[in-house]
Amino acid sequence: MNKDFFNIAGIELKSRIFIGSGKFSNNKLIPEIIKSSQAQVMTVAVRRFDFQNPKENILSYIPENIHVMPNTSGARNADEAVRIAHIAKNAAKTDLIKIEIINDNKYLLPDNYQTAKACEILAKEGFKVFAYMNADLYAARDMQNAGVAAVMPLGSPIGTNKGLKTKEMIRILTEEIIAPIIVDAGIGKPSDACECMEMGCAAVMINTSISSSQNPVLMAEAFKDAVNAGRKAFLAKLGAVSDRAKASSPLTDFLN
Amino acid sequence: MTFYDIKRQYNTFDFENYTTGVSDKMVESSMQKEILNDMDFLNLLSPKALNHIEEMAQKAHETSIKHFGKGILLYAPLYVSNFCINNCIYCGFSTKNKIKRKVLSFEEIEENCKIVSEYGIRHILLVTGESSVKTPLSYLKKCVEILKNYFDVVDIEIYPLEESGYKELADAGADGLTIYQETYNEELYKLLHTQGAKSDYKYRLDTCKRAGKANYRNLNVGVLLGLNDFVSEIFFAGIHAKYLQKSFSSAEIGMSFPRLRPAVGTYKPKTVISDKNLIQAICAVRLFINRISIAVSTRESKELRSNLIPLGITKMSAGSSTEVGGYAEKRKCSDGQFKINDTATVDEVKKMIYKKDYQPLMKDWTIL
Ligand code: SF4
C-alpha cells in the first residue's frame, strides 16, 4: 500500500484526493485543508487568479509542493475554454488544465460535446487535460481518443452533496475506459468517496462537502481516511455480492 | 411564451386573499420540498411564513453555501450621467427635479476608474439616467471600452435598448445587465411612469430578454421595494428570474432587493418593508431558485448588510457613490440618485465580511 503511487499526466502521486479551492471562507484555510487531506493536487479557477492583489490571490496560499490544476470555470463553449487554458498556462506556469464548460447555470452540468472539442484542441497543443464531464460512455471515449490525462465524471450535480447518483454509469466507465477516472462533483460524504475507490476509480475530487462542513479541516481528514480505506478494499478485491445465501453444506454434494 | 403571458395568468389572482389563507402547515410543507413551485414560493412570502423565519434562514444559508461557498463578490456602481427624460415620481433623477446634472467626459471617467480600481474593485456597474440624447449609444460604448481597461466585469444599468444595441455594447465589453421593473403591477406602473420611454411597461418587461438574446453573461432583475405590496412584487420578480433562467441557461441570473431610500423630491413610499420582510424575501427567493445570485447595495445599513451575509446573498456593493463622478469629485458636482446608508470603505466592508467568516471576492472573472 505504501507503494501505491499512481502516475497521472506524468506526475507521480500518492494521494488520491484532488481538492477544489473555490468555496472556502478564507484562503488561509487552504494550507490546513491540504495538510489534513494530504492532497497533492488543487484545482483553482482561472477567473479567480488575481495577480494585482497578492493578498487576495488564491495562488499565493497554495503550498509550493502542491500541483496547481487551473480550471476553465466560466467557459460557456470550447473556444472560451481554450482561451482560458492559454491564460492559465501563462499565469500559473503549468500544462495541467481541468476543462469545465458549462452552459447551464441552474444545475451547472458540463457540456460534453463542447468539452470533447476543447480536449481535442488542447491535448494536441500539449496540455495535460482533465475533462470534467457528465458520466457518459461515448463522450468519455471521445475525450480519451483526444488524449486526455483523465476523465472526471460527475457523481451528481455540483454543490448538491447527493453522492453517486451516476454510479452505474461510472461503473461502466471504470470498466471500459483506460484513462484514469476521477469522480468529480456531488461527492457529499466520505463514504461516497470510499465507494468510488472501491469501484476502481483512480481518484476523487472534493470541494463542497469539505467547505460546507462545520469543520472543514476535520472533514478533509475524514476524506483522506475514507479514500485510503476504499483504495485498500479495491486492492484487496471485494468479495462477490450474491442475492442468495450460499449454503455452507451443499444439498447436491451427493451427486459427485 | 413571453414573460408578459406568464404574468397575465395571475392578473385576476387575489394575492392578499390567498396569502392570508396560508397556514403553518402549508409553509412547512413548502419549505420541505426540494423543488418549489410558484405556490410554494408564495407560501414562503405569506405572513404565516414569518413564524418560520429562522428555519427558512437556516435552509437558505445551507443552500447558499452548497451552491456558492463562502464568498461574497464586491462591486461598485459608477454613475456617468444623471440626465433623465423620465419622470419616475420616486427617483431623485426625475426630469421634474431641479438638481445639478452632469455627464462625465471620457477623461473624468478615466479619473473615476483609476480611483475605484485602486480601492481593489474589479467588478463595476455602469449607471446612467435614461437619456438617449445626453448619453447616446455611441457614448455608452466608449464608456464600456474605458471601463473594461480597468475592470474585469462591466455590467450596465442604463435605459432599455434593442437587442442590436445590447450586442454593440457586448462587443465593446459589457458582460451583464441590471434592470429593475420597479413594479410589476401594470396599472401602478402607468401611474408612476407618466412620461418618456419608460412608460412602456411591456418594453421594459422584455428588456432582460433582449439582453439575453445578445448573449449577456449576467442578467439581474429586481423591484423597488416600497412602491407596492411586497408579496406580489417579490413573487413576480422571482418568477421572472426563473423564466429567465429557463430561457437563457448560460446566463447567471441575479436579483436585488432595493428598498426605497430618501432622495430628492417629495415621494413617500407606499409601504415600508421591514427588515424581517426583506429577510423573508431573500430566503424565499433562495429556496425557490437555488442558483441565483443575490445582491445587496449600500442602500442598506452596515449592520443589516453584515447580518444578511449568511442568509444567502452573494454580492455586495462597497464604497459606493451614487453621484455622477462621485469618486473623483470630493467637491459636489451633481446630486446623487439616493442617499447611501452604508458609507463604509471597501476595506471596511472586506473586514466585515471576514468577521462573518466569509471571504470577500474581488475578482470572479477573467477578461477573455
Ligand atoms: S428611475 Fe431611472 S428612469 Fe426613472 S427618473 Fe430615475 S433615473 Fe430616470
Side-chain angles (χ1 to χ4, degrees):
Chain A
M1 184 68 196
N2 284 338
K3 293 227 173 66
D4 182 33
F5 293 106
F6 77 119
N7 201 295
I8 199 160
I11 310 168
E12 194 161 87
L13 297 171
K14 189 164 159 45
S15 156
R16 291 173 183 272
I17 298 185
F18 289 27
I19 298 272
S21 59
K23 289 183 167 174
F24 294 118
S25 61
N26 197 321
N27 287 338
K28 287 182 186 153
L29 264 176
I30 288 175
E32 285 183 72
I33 299 287
I34 286 179
K35 202 170 153 203
S36 60
S37 64
Q38 288 181 8
Q40 292 169 285
V41 180
M42 178 166 243
T43 67
V44 184
V46 174
R47 65 195 166 95
R48 295 259 171 103
F49 284 6
D50 193 351
F51 293 101
Q52 279 180 20
N53 290 305
K55 261 175 90 184
E56 328 268 0
N57 190 9
I58 196 162
L59 292 177
S60 335
Y61 293 84
I62 301 178
E64 265 183 20
N65 57 341
I66 298 301
H67 299 279
V68 171
M69 188 200 292
N71 71 49
T72 65
S73 77
R76 301 193 289 188
N77 53 44
D79 176 51
E80 287 184 356
V82 168
R83 276 190 280 160
I84 295 174
H86 291 154
I87 295 172
K89 189 174 185 169
N90 286 328
K93 310 274 175 268
T94 176
D95 286 342
L96 301 179
I97 189 79
K98 179 182 164 199
I99 306 296
E100 279 188 44
I101 300 178
I102 286 163
N103 219 343
D104 173 84
N105 248 306
K106 186 174 177 193
Y107 289 106
L108 299 186
L109 293 174
D111 181 330
N112 280 353
Y113 174 65
Q114 294 289 328
T115 303
K117 272 199 338 198
C119 290
E120 211 164 287
I121 297 167
L122 292 168
K124 255 192 209 136
E125 289 181 13
F127 279 90
K128 313 269 169 47
V129 181
F130 290 71
Y132 173 48
M133 60 152 350
N134 257 306
D136 173 81
L137 180 60
Y138 293 100
R141 276 191 186 133
D142 287 343
M143 292 168 198
Q144 176 171 267
N145 293 339
V148 297
V151 287
M152 304 181 77
L154 53 81
S156 48
I158 196 161
T160 59
N161 284 350
K162 280 190 175 176
L164 294 180
K165 295 287 179 211
T166 57
K167 186 174 170 187
E168 191 53 24
M169 297 305 131
I170 290 175
R171 192 195 63 72
I172 293 170
L173 295 187
T174 57
E175 219 174 289
E176 301 297 323
I177 297 293
I178 300 157
I181 310 288
I182 301 174
V183 179
D184 188 354
I187 293 178
K189 308 186 288 291
S191 54
D192 298 330
C194 182
E195 200 171 356
C196 292
M197 302 316 295
E198 288 169 352
M199 284 161 70
C201 297
V204 289
M205 164 93 212
I206 317 283
N207 190 5
T208 309
S209 42
I210 291 180
S211 64
S212 68
S213 81
Q214 297 274 322
N215 186 339
V217 176
L218 187 59
M219 187 57 89
E221 195 181 330
F223 270 101
K224 175 199 73 187
D225 294 340
V227 165
N228 283 342
R231 179 67 189 168
K232 281 180 192 166
F234 174 75
L235 292 175
K237 307 264 182 286
L238 297 171
V241 177
S242 166
D243 285 339
R244 263 176 255 159
K246 283 207 178 101
S248 42
S249 354
L251 299 175
T252 52
D253 230 16
F254 65 94
L255 291 173
N256 298 323
Chain B
M1 204 185 238
T2 65
F3 182 65
Y4 189 73
D5 296 324
I6 294 173
K7 214 221 128 217
R8 208 159 45 185
Q9 294 169 1
Y10 290 98
N11 274 0
T12 54
F13 187 81
D14 186 341
F15 281 90
E16 213 185 319
N17 190 31
Y18 177 83
T19 49
T20 46
V22 171
S23 63
D24 285 308
K25 255 210 160 119
M26 286 161 80
V27 175
E28 277 161 19
S29 99
S30 293
M31 216 162 38
Q32 269 156 25
K33 285 190 185 173
E34 197 185 329
I35 296 168
L36 278 66
N37 62 30
D38 290 4
M39 286 303 115
D40 293 314
F41 178 40
L42 196 50
N43 292 346
L44 299 188
L45 292 170
S46 72
K48 267 278 155 39
L50 286 174
N51 298 343
H52 306 267
I53 193 80
E54 177 56 27
E55 292 153 76
M56 275 173 73
Q58 293 289 352
K59 206 166 171 204
H61 168 73
E62 245 173 61
T63 310
S64 304
I65 288 203
K66 277 203 284 182
H67 287 278
F68 295 94
K70 283 186 141 193
I72 303 282
L73 181 75
L74 298 188
Y75 72 97
L78 176 62
Y79 285 72
V80 296
S81 163
N82 59 355
F83 278 93
C84 189
I85 53 157
N86 292 320
N87 175 28
C88 309
I89 57 173
Y90 48 82
C91 175
F93 286 177
S94 158
T95 189
K96 294 253 167 79
N97 287 335
K98 297 234 166 346
I99 57 168
K100 282 188 232 161
R101 301 204 184 244
K102 188 172 166 65
V103 180
L104 290 188
S105 69
F106 298 131
E107 292 72 39
E108 287 169 322
I109 291 177
E110 290 261 8
E111 201 188 335
N112 277 275
C113 286
K114 277 184 193 141
I115 294 171
V116 182
S117 58
E118 271 163 24
Y119 295 161
I121 292 286
R122 307 286 289 276
H123 290 230
I124 197 91
L125 178 64
L126 168 75
V127 192
T128 63
E130 300 200 358
S131 168
S132 57
V133 176
K134 293 285 183 182
T135 52
L137 188 58
S138 54
Y139 170 83
L140 295 173
K141 254 172 88 172
K142 183 78 188 150
C143 290
V144 171
E145 280 165 9
I146 298 172
L147 263 54
K148 206 67 187 190
N149 292 330
Y150 291 88
F151 304 99
D152 292 297
V153 168
V154 177
D155 283 350
I156 52 172
E157 189 177 347
I158 56 167
Y159 52 90
L161 298 174
E162 288 295 316
E163 188 186 325
S164 59
Y166 286 125
K167 280 215 174 92
E168 278 192 49
L169 291 184
D171 290 341
D175 299 283
L177 174 81
T178 290
I179 190 137
Y180 299 143
Q181 187 61 25
E182 321 290 16
T183 172
Y184 281 88
N185 182 314
E186 200 167 350
E187 279 79 54
L188 178 66
Y189 186 91
K190 281 185 186 132
L191 295 175
L192 294 173
H193 308 98
T194 54
Q195 68 180 65
K198 197 166 171 178
S199 54
D200 190 341
Y201 175 87
K202 258 174 110 175
Y203 189 68
R204 194 168 186 91
L205 200 63
D206 269 343
T207 304
C208 266
K209 196 171 169 186
R210 294 192 297 277
K213 282 187 177 164
N215 214 15
Y216 276 43
R217 284 180 179 277
N218 311 315
L219 298 172
N220 302 293
V221 293
V223 286
L224 196 48
L225 292 169
L227 295 178
N228 192 19
D229 80 280
F230 106 105
V231 173
S232 69
E233 293 291 356
I234 298 288
F235 174 77
F236 284 126
I239 63 171
H240 192 185
K242 203 159 207 176
Y243 164 83
L244 290 170
Q245 196 172 57
K246 268 210 177 116
S247 309
F248 303 105
S249 64
S250 67
E252 179 164 314
I253 307 300
M255 218 166 137
S256 308
F257 298 81
R259 291 192 285 186
L260 259 170
R261 290 281 303 148
V264 179
T266 53
Y267 184 79
K268 292 271 167 300
K270 184 181 161 198
T271 48
V272 175
I273 312 302
S274 67
D275 289 357
K276 206 170 178 187
N277 276 146
L278 181 71
I279 287 164
Q280 178 186 19
I282 291 175
C283 295
V285 166
R286 170 64 67 224
L287 298 181
F288 181 51
I289 316 175
N290 292 174
R291 270 207 71 84
I292 186 167
S293 74
I294 297 179
V296 173
S297 78
T298 51
R299 286 170 184 266
E300 301 302 339
S301 72
K302 207 185 276 183
E303 294 68 37
L304 183 65
R305 273 159 52 94
S306 148
N307 287 323
L308 288 177
I309 289 173
L311 291 177
I313 63 165
T314 59
K315 276 187 196 175
M316 259 189 179
S317 52
S320 306
S321 166
T322 62
E323 277 171 47
V324 178
Y327 298 103
E329 306 256 350
K330 284 297 162 232
R331 67 204 135 90
K332 238 179 161 2
C333 72
S334 73
D335 286 300
Q337 191 180 28
F338 57 86
K339 267 205 182 121
I340 280 170
N341 200 339
D342 180 358
T343 54
T345 63
V346 175
D347 277 340
E348 285 166 348
V349 174
K350 279 192 199 168
K351 273 188 202 133
M352 177 264 278
I353 294 172
Y354 275 125
K355 233 174 147 181
K356 280 285 183 187
D357 196 28
Y358 274 68
Q359 175 156 239
L361 300 175
M362 306 311 287
K363 185 174 177 292
D364 201 25
W365 183 237
T366 281
I367 294 174
L368 288 178

